[in-house]
Amino acid sequence: MSPAYLLRRLLAVVLVLWIVTIAVFAITMILPGNAAVMILGEYATPDQVAAMEERLGLNRPAAVQYLEWLFNLLQGDLGMSLRLSLPVSEVVGSAFANSALLAVTALLSVTVVAVPLGMIAALKRGTKADLGISLMAYVGTAMPEFVTATLLLVIFAAPGNPLLPAGGFIPPGESVAGFFNHVILPAGALGLILTAHIARQVRSEMSDVLASDYIRAARLKGLRERRVLRGHALPNSLAPAVAVISLDIGYLLGGIIVVEEIFAWPGLGRLLILALENRDLPVIQAITLLLAMVYALSNLLSDLVIAAIDPRVRYE
Amino acid sequence: MMAAQDNNASEGPVLDIRNYTLDYGTPHGPPVQVLRNVSLSIRPGRTMGLVGESGSGKTSLAWAIMRYLPGNAIERSGEIALLGEDLRTKSLEEVQDLRGRRISMVFQDPGTSLNPVLRLGDQVAEVLARHRGLTPKEAREESEAWLARTGISRPADMMHRYPHEASGGEKQRVVIATAFACNPEIIVFDEPTTALDIITARQILDLFDDLHDETGVTALYISHDLGLVSRVAQDVAMIDSGEIVEWGTCEEVFVRPRHDYTRQLLSAVPHPDRRIVASAPEAESDLLSLSGINVRYGDKKSILGFLEPKREVVQGARDVSFGVRPGEILGIVGESGSGKSTIAKALAGLQDFKGTVEFDSRTFSSRRQIDRDYRRSVQIVFQHPDASLNPRQTIGKILSRPLKLYDQVPRSELSQRVRKLLRSVLLPEEYAVRYPHELSGGEKQRVAIARAFAAEPQVVICDEITSSLDVSVQAAVARLLVELQQQTGTACLFITHDLNLVRQLAHRIAVMLDGDLVDLFETPQASASGRHPYTKQLLDAVPVPVKAEEPARTA
């Protein structure tokens, strides 16, 4: 991979994020009830609103407001949260860290479970193991995380005899065991549908690989089955698996908002819902931008990983 | 080597197949018989060609020999013996031990039979490590030596390359090196040159000859190409619908065929001496002429071009000029990527071009100027009828499209004209209500030809229209095209890579190389002196089939 390629891809990320800033800003402009009304409350007089708009600069042309916002953004100044009266970067920063903990835990466990499951299903094609895994994958893909979350709560956190806490968060720095205790249910709710999806995709990729001419050629060279699978099939099915996982990151970012709310996980999702309820525009803008950035960068990362795995993929 | 061969000669056949019958089970209904009572034996050091058309069972026989049958295979009877040991009695473990060591295989398409993510050197070395217990270092050294023996010019460099970094010919050399690496007793070659270009195929054949002489290996050479088999093999077996209908030495089978099927195939094989066209009508001027046609691929840039890598610009056609005379068949030959299809697409108005096309005293200097009238007069038939016939339309509908589009006949006579078109390509009229998937490959291609002729064009472009067909079907389609062309007086641009076929039916032949038109001559002048060196090279590369003494049918 050439440095020129990396530069081009980073440029593309910047371009995407710039388009997102316009979209985010436009949407917050269109939303009914501006920040002045939100701060003053519904009983404010028109004079008070006008004065507040003057003070916040909301009466200036949209383009000027956008440029000012963008300029501040580039300097790392995301503004003040209207609701919490704290700098947005502070509010969003800690929530982002908490969300990242949940997302990474979910994604890692999904990968560790789903990829081998898909491979086993492909290897044992047509057997009971394949049938079981495929059936589970079908059911799993049909269950959105709010259903899974409710089910998990009923089963593992029933009020009488809770095996696991129904919600909340303990930072791993405070207690690792406590963190894992609290992360299992939300990560499970997030991960089940992804596990199902990734397992299905990996199964079909692996099936294609196993049916390929080069696997037949490897067998006809007299190689033992273990060597055929490890040396020939596995390296070919890794890159597609990475591609599927990276596509699912987009889904994960959406799912996390629902799951955090259900399990009272103090992350970005929960903060976003709070901000939406309170029309906390600077926070909404910051979170939306952050999610877009995570998605764009994770896509870039997965392309780089694929290039490292598959010699045919050479980015120039 | 000769000594080894002589020693073996007394020992009996290397591979001996007796009364072998194989069925494939089907989920619903009775099993399908694939091989019926097949008996075949190959003596040491000989190469036996196994010739048959698609579906004849030749590849199934290869899988049976390699003990690589699908799960639904049912072996009814018979034995497959390697030096007297019946392979059918071997366990999977014993078979794994045999494969690649005593019996190995060279596959049709080196592009798919090499693992894309492993280095070429490792793919050769792993056989040596597996079967001869060499250390990784020894295996690599020995692999490099084998790559050198297969004529790879920089073997050390090739060891480190991945398949996509090697050419088709180089890849096939790697596959061949792998097959020979453990000095097996027999090697099965499954159409090893079919996926390669003409000249590369010739080089691989030469390599096969050299290695065969050096090692004295016994070989089974599967192919559909009689000309090729007569060049590489000493013995040949003809297989038809799962039965070996005839086998013997090449001279016996090809020169004095005993079985009808052999005769039929032999007469279907295109042979340059067996012309199937009348001479071209005298023409005072060109019907269609191209001058300075240029086509470049990869030029276009989008607004977000700065985000895309620099694409390599490929010159599909470079200053190509020639004329097509009324009523003639002009053959265009060349290897893949030579620009022959580019010219077809540009002439059919499917590809942007620079330069001018003159037709019917009108001049077109870009694709946009090509209008409906031109499109009606210049029709195209594509290589794959499966891709060019809409699977959701009946044959009748497919054939009536051009009739309606160009107002060829009044609506009331549509179905009558469709039936006439079907008759003209020797298909039953009832086919009008069928769908493409209900037809065989040859029948589909006839429909595609009928569609092109429906518009009563003055020029028909045939882009590799027989390449995906079996030999006998190919012969019938070629003959049909020539008949139609002569009846209607339509000029025809016949694009192909089959030199024997083109010499059989074209009046003139144009040769393309890397986007350039390098040669253009009257067909009888093909072997005249003064031909372009590339033309000579192409002609030399193609084995001309042996001619039977008494072909059952004459063309």
Side-chain angles (χ1 to χ4, degrees), chain B residues 413-476:
Chain B
E413 287 169 32
L414 260 183
S415 60
Q416 201 186 327
R417 177 61 71 90
V418 165
R419 287 201 297 275
K420 192 175 160 213
L421 281 169
L422 282 170
R423 280 200 306 274
S424 73
V425 291
L426 311 177
L427 289 176
E429 294 174 2
E430 302 84 74
Y431 275 28
V433 295
R434 296 207 186 168
Y435 285 91
H437 71 266
E438 299 174 79
L439 274 58
S440 71
E443 288 172 337
K444 275 181 275 198
Q445 199 58 293
R446 282 164 196 260
V447 172
I449 291 171
R451 174 172 62 181
F453 278 90
E456 295 172 18
Q458 289 172 274
V459 179
V460 170
I461 302 164
C462 300
D463 191 1
E464 299 265 14
I465 63 166
T466 60
S467 310
S468 57
L469 305 174
D470 266 325
V471 184
S472 56
V473 182
Q474 169 184 308

Side-chain angles (χ1 to χ4, degrees), chain A residues 8 11-12 15 213-217 219-225 227 231-233 235-236 309-312 314 316, chain B residues 63 66 68 96 99-100 105 107 112-118 123 126-127 130-131 162 164 178 304 306-309:
Chain A
R8 267 205 315 275
L11 253 164
L15 186 71
D213 284 0
Y214 55 83
I215 293 298
R216 184 177 69 197
R219 290 197 174 120
L220 292 181
K221 279 173 173 178
L223 300 183
R224 292 200 182 89
E225 199 58 19
R227 165 93 189 146
H232 286 258
N236 275 289
I309 299 174
D310 190 334
R312 281 168 298 179
R314 278 285 170 266
E316 298 302 331
Chain B
W63 298 144
M66 297 304 295
Y68 193 72
Q96 283 176 344
R99 286 181 190 154
M105 190 156 174
F107 309 93
T112 59
S113 57
L114 287 166
N115 194 325
V117 306
L118 300 182
Q123 301 197 45
E126 67 182 349
V127 184
R130 162 77 173 94
H131 293 301
Y162 290 99
H164 69 279
T178 313
L304 296 176
F306 72 96
L307 294 176
E308 290 168 10

Side-chain angles (χ1 to χ4, degrees), chain B residues 326-346:
Chain B
E328 79 164 340
I329 299 182
L330 174 62
I332 302 185
V333 298
E335 299 190 282
S336 51
S338 63
K340 39 190 208 307
S341 287
T342 298
I343 291 295
K345 279 190 275 176

Side-chain angles (χ1 to χ4, degrees), chain A residues 117-142:
Chain A
L117 272 185
M119 290 188 172
I120 290 169
L123 286 175
K124 312 257 174 198
R125 217 183 164 133
T127 64
K128 280 188 185 140
D130 175 29
L131 190 73
I133 293 169
S134 298
L135 198 67
M136 189 215 75
Y138 270 110
V139 175
T141 16

Side-chain angles (χ1 to χ4, degrees), chain B residues 194-299:
Chain B
T194 310
L196 302 175
D197 260 326
I198 304 164
I199 290 172
T200 315
R202 167 61 188 253
Q203 289 161 351
I204 293 294
L205 285 186
D206 289 344
L207 171 66
F208 171 79
D209 282 348
D210 291 348
L211 286 175
H212 186 254
D213 287 348
E214 268 176 49
T215 61
V217 74
T218 311
L220 178 68
Y221 196 103
I222 298 171
S223 178
H224 67 278
D225 187 337
L226 285 162
L228 203 143
V229 166
S230 67
R231 184 186 175 287
V232 298
Q234 293 91 51
D235 303 316
V236 62
M238 307 294 298
I239 184 167
D240 178 32
S241 314
E243 272 184 287
I244 303 280
V245 295
E246 179 166 3
W247 66 289
T249 64
C250 277
E251 294 103 84
E252 283 165 13
V253 175
F254 287 150
V255 183
R256 286 175 296 279
R258 292 187 309 269
H259 197 278
D260 278 347
Y261 179 73
T262 316
R263 284 193 208 114
Q264 191 192 324
L265 263 194
L266 280 170
S267 70
V269 173
H271 197 288
D273 297 347
R274 214 184 283 145
R275 298 275 293 162
I276 60 173
V277 282
S279 51
E282 290 294 314
E284 60 286 356
S285 68
D286 286 343
L287 171 66
L288 173 73
S289 73
L290 295 73
S291 46
I293 296 290
N294 276 287
V295 175
R296 283 156 66 93
Y297 295 109
D299 256 345

Side-chain angles (χ1 to χ4, degrees), chain B residues 376-435:
Chain B
R376 187 193 67 75
S377 309
V378 180
Q379 292 279 316
I380 184 164
V381 184
F382 296 98
Q383 175 171 4
H384 298 289
D386 281 319
S388 68
L389 300 180
N390 188 332
R392 291 180 188 277
Q393 291 181 350
T394 60
I395 303 302
K397 172 120 190 196
I398 289 171
L399 291 180
S400 60
R401 296 285 300 224
L403 299 176
K404 282 193 225 165
L405 179 64
Y406 302 115
D407 291 322
Q408 294 298 112
V409 288
R411 300 241 151 184
S412 55
E413 287 169 32
L414 260 183
S415 60
Q416 201 186 327
R417 177 61 71 90
V418 165
R419 287 201 297 275
K420 192 175 160 213
L421 281 169
L422 282 170
R423 280 200 306 274
S424 73
V425 291
L426 311 177
L427 289 176
E429 294 174 2
E430 302 84 74
Y431 275 28
V433 295
R434 296 207 186 168
Y435 285 91

